Structures are given as C-alpha cells and as structure tokens.
Amino acid sequence: MIIERSSVVGAPIGQVWARVVDPEGINDEMRPWMTMSIPRGQESISIDSVAVGEPLGRAWLRLFGLVPFDYDDLTIAELEPGLRFHEKSTMLSMRRWEHERTLRPFDDGSTGVHDRITFEPRLPLVPLTPVLARVLGAFFGHRHRRLARHFG
C-alpha cells in the first residue's frame, strides 16, 4: 500500500531540511500522538550523519510519548543531503516500511515537502490494511501541519 502527502512550508529549504533530519524535529512533527526513540548507541545522530544502507538498530515508537507499542528497525537506504532521504525498514507490525521524504525549493523562498509511505503489514494485520492506510494518511497530514506550524 502506498500513501503520499505533500505540503508547502514557509521557510527556505536549508532550514526545513535541518528540521526534518533532526530527532527533535522528527518527534515534534509526531507529537502529541507519538514519539520515536533513537536507536541505542546512536544518540547523537541525525539522518544527515548516518551510514547509508547500514541498519541503525531499533527505534521504539511510543504512544503519547510514553507507552512503547512498536519499533522501527531503522535503515536509511538512500540520502541526498539537503533534498531527500529514503528509509527502508521493518517493524514489529510491518513486514515492509518505507518512508521517502523529498524537499523542493520554490522561488518565493518556501519549500515543498513530499512524503511517500509504502507499507506491508505483517500477517495478523493484513485485514486492517485499509484502516492502517487511513490512519497513516491522517498521521502524515498531521506531521505536515506541525512542520508548517513550526515555521509559521
């Protein structure tokens, strides 16, 4: 299943990129619904500084920032610094999880943000795929609004 979300953020691409690759910026986008931990031993990373194609370890997803409910076995498969990253991972709940985020500068100084999420739930969740698609679509819409509000 594939979900896509796009929006425009009223800030230059360099500022937006710095925010979307920083763990605090990522967690701010997801709040209050959830947060994501940094894999053990990787506390000082940003997406910009990881080794492409090498697994980083488990990043725990916490409901409301408190209750662990899933993990992302995180790998950044592709990286174009300042423009794009493509995460290819597995999760406790997902056999396949891909998140590709692309930024595009506009002449007026704003930045286009595009997310493409590809997922394949593990067997027990397969019947819930349409529900998961709606929830994930809404969640990434929330992330885009939070990101835009940050630069608002």
Side-chain angles (χ1 to χ4, degrees):
M1 177 73 63
I2 297 173
I3 301 163
E4 297 190 68
R5 290 289 179 268
S6 294
S7 63
V8 177
V9 174
I13 192 169
Q15 289 178 17
V16 176
W17 179 258
R19 184 76 178 168
V20 303
V21 298
D22 176 69
E24 180 52 40
I26 294 166
N27 278 324
D28 186 63
E29 281 182 36
M30 295 192 289
R31 284 188 182 102
W33 306 115
M34 66 184 250
T35 59
M36 184 170 68
S37 71
I38 303 300
R40 184 168 289 155
Q42 305 285 340
E43 286 77 14
S44 64
I45 68 163
S46 80
I47 292 174
D48 263 344
S49 65
V50 302
V52 174
E54 292 184 20
L56 300 173
R58 288 185 179 171
W60 285 94
L61 303 174
R62 297 176 302 245
L63 188 62
F64 304 115
L66 301 170
V67 181
F69 71 94
D70 202 347
Y71 64 79
D72 185 346
D73 220 349
L74 195 57
T75 301
I76 301 299
E78 300 173 49
L79 177 65
E80 296 174 48
L83 298 173
R84 177 181 165 272
F85 66 81
H86 188 172
E87 171 198 350
K88 290 185 178 181
S89 302
T90 60
M91 301 172 77
L92 180 62
S93 61
M94 301 287 170
R95 172 177 298 152
R96 176 182 178 200
W97 175 262
E98 295 187 34
H99 175 204
E100 181 178 12
R101 179 167 276 184
T102 306
L103 303 184
R104 183 176 60 154
F106 292 122
D107 290 340
D108 67 357
S110 63
T111 301
V113 179
H114 181 81
D115 284 316
R116 180 181 174 102
I117 299 90
T118 306
F119 71 95
E120 181 183 341
R122 293 198 186 271
L123 190 55
L125 296 176
V126 168
L128 296 175
T129 299
V131 173
L132 291 170
R134 289 183 66 123
V135 169
L136 288 169
F139 180 64
F140 273 84
H142 166 79
R143 289 185 66 170
H144 280 240
R145 288 187 300 276
R146 296 269 306 179
L147 181 62
R149 192 175 317 140
H150 174 78
F151 290 104

